[in-house]
Amino acid sequence: MSMVETGVARSPGPRPVGTARRPRERTSVGLALLAGTGLVFVVAPFVALLLGAPWGRLLGLAVSGPALEALWLSLRTATAATALCLVLGVPLAWALARTTLPCRGVVRSVVTVPMVLPPVVGGVALLALLGRRGLVGRHLDAWLGVSIPFTTGAVVIAEAFVAMPFLVLSVDGALRSADVSLERAAATLGASRWYVFRRVTLPLVGPGVVAGAVLCFARAMGEFGATVTFAGSLPGVTRTMPLAIYLAMESDPELAVALSLVLIVTSVAVLVALRSRWLRPSGGPS
Amino acid sequence: MSLDAHVVVRRADFVLDLALAVEPGETVALVGSNGAGKTTFLHAVAGLVRLDDGHVRLGGRVLSDVRAGTHVPPERRRCGLVFQQHLVFPHLSALENVAFGLRAAGVRRREARRRAAGWLDRLGVADCGRRCGAQLSGGQAQRVALARSLACAPDVVLLDEPFAALDLASRPAVRDLLRSEVLDGTRPTVLVTHDPQDARELADRVVSLSFGSPCRGTSAAGADAAP
């Protein structure tokens, strides 16, 4: 038996390699050029932004009232949207990854629609649902006297709508690649589904959840189209940083550049803080 | 408490059909080559695999009955299944691993930890308590997995290849441990192994499984292993 196996394993002789070498090198030079161009394409705009920044006036512009107001609103709404996505999106991802619903494939596609949809269209759709004449909105207005559009709550809803797929896909992927047998072991120890989810599943897919939340937060911070359509641009209420930047471009381009830098710095700082806080290797107490 | 199981599981290329009754305190060794269906049988008793026909009864409880449409979920079966790969939770400490089932059953944290520490001590891994699951060696992980199952006071113990991950030198110690701590003479135990010596030394009875069915001439091996 073993002799046969070794005989088979040894059979293919050395392959002539000389012919394959030159074309491969040429391709790699071409690839390197394209890759380098790709890198420049991504980085160059940021360099231009930095070089063109009004460094002398920057601090004054960045800490001006409207700028801080917009930044504070952006941070609050993006945080709330991320929290909303976590509360609703993680269970949704769990249902997609761990249950045997017959229509899972369809649900998975539907969940990703906001990702490929133009955000403005998302805003129009939200108005169709929650606007004062909308499918649900008209009842909210008539029965409860509640009107959602053009409020800070509308900003949160618009951001969560657009950012949700990033979280769901990330957590769904993490769940599907995680080892199910640990959850089965937990079940044999008498743990309910909820207990298993809380103490085994969630900690094991923690990095996936954090990655999803980070993407979700970044997307929410940058949300423009759905927000401006569904929530408008009321200073201090719905005018988030991207909206403030767009408006500033028309009146004061230097202010727009300053706001952009503030947005970049803040986003990066929040993401770094999140990562170091939640991606620490832990086996902490229950 | 006795186990009465008739497990029928049909797969595309394989049918497991095994009837097995195990008395309180009795240990039955299930032997056979890889793919004979030994692990599937244990998982079916524990509720991780659904039966296609047959039943599982434990004491007075019906855990599975295909005709009656009964399938008690794994978390309510009180079956102490020790997996071949141990499946110690890598993100929890050894102590938290053992306390897991008690905590799930609503035992308060301090009490659960106290009892878990007792089990780690009994299985000779008291010094590993603070280490997290991912840092345990194969032998330690196996003892922690045993302690974790026993801490839940299961009504039946199902051991899947408890010696597979151990080097030869540590096998006698684990055999003694199983004899003194696991096979306590009150509940039924099913031991899956492919090593006839382990089966002879630990079990009252040996059942050989081949391609999903018990072999003819399966005998009580306890007698000829007795000194």
Side-chain angles (χ1 to χ4, degrees), chain A residues 112-136:
Chain A
T112 54
V113 164
M115 226 168 158
V116 292
L117 201 70
V120 176
V121 177
V124 172
L126 284 171
L127 275 176
L129 181 75
L130 297 171
R132 295 187 72 167
R133 298 274 160 270
L135 194 64
V136 174

Side-chain angles (χ1 to χ4, degrees), chain B:
Chain B
M1 197 78 68
S2 62
L3 173 71
D4 169 22
H6 179 201
V7 170
V8 178
V9 176
R10 298 193 184 94
R11 294 281 182 267
D13 51 344
F14 160 91
V15 177
L16 169 66
D17 186 342
L18 176 62
L20 192 64
V22 188
E23 295 303 313
E26 188 187 23
T27 301
V28 171
L30 208 52
V31 300
S33 54
N34 287 336
K38 304 176 304 250
T39 297
T40 306
F41 178 81
L42 293 191
H43 286 199
V45 171
L48 297 175
V49 170
R50 275 181 181 266
L51 305 189
D52 289 308
D53 202 356
H55 63 262
V56 176
R57 296 192 199 102
L58 184 56
R61 295 187 298 147
V62 177
L63 300 184
S64 295
D65 190 329
V66 174
R67 303 254 159 90
T70 308
H71 177 84
V72 176
E75 60 268 27
R76 292 211 304 268
R77 290 196 169 215
R78 304 184 55 81
C79 290
L81 174 59
V82 182
F83 294 81
Q84 186 178 348
Q85 315 87 332
H86 314 321
L87 301 180
V88 167
F89 304 126
H91 59 294
L92 298 179
S93 70
L95 189 72
E96 289 292 336
N97 262 280
V98 180
F100 185 90
L102 296 167
R103 296 281 290 135
V107 177
R108 292 202 166 277
R109 184 183 300 179
R110 183 176 294 186
E111 171 65 11
R113 287 190 175 172
R114 194 186 60 74
R115 284 200 238 165
W119 276 106
L120 286 175
D121 192 34
R122 284 175 71 173
L123 292 180
V125 278
D127 52 331
C128 298
R130 287 180 170 279
R131 221 175 293 170
C132 79
Q135 296 169 328
L136 298 172
S137 73
Q140 291 166 341
Q142 194 217 24
R143 286 162 188 244
V144 170
L146 268 172
R148 185 175 69 173
S149 286
L150 295 175
C152 300
D155 292 341
V156 60
V157 176
L158 308 166
L159 301 168
D160 196 353
E161 299 278 9
F163 303 101
L166 300 182
D167 49 81
L168 282 173
S170 57
R171 285 185 177 204
V174 173
R175 236 179 250 150
D176 289 343
L177 196 67
L178 285 178
R179 240 185 247 120
S180 62
E181 301 296 341
V182 184
L183 318 176
D184 66 350
T186 59
R187 62 189 157 215
T189 302
V190 182
L191 165 71
V192 158
T193 178
H194 60 259
D195 184 341
Q197 193 193 346
D198 291 334
R200 271 199 304 276
E201 290 199 13
L202 288 167
D204 304 305
R205 191 149 59 91
V206 178
V207 173
S208 310
L209 202 58
S210 176
F211 301 109
S213 306
C215 298
R216 282 177 184 282
T218 292
S219 65
D224 50 286

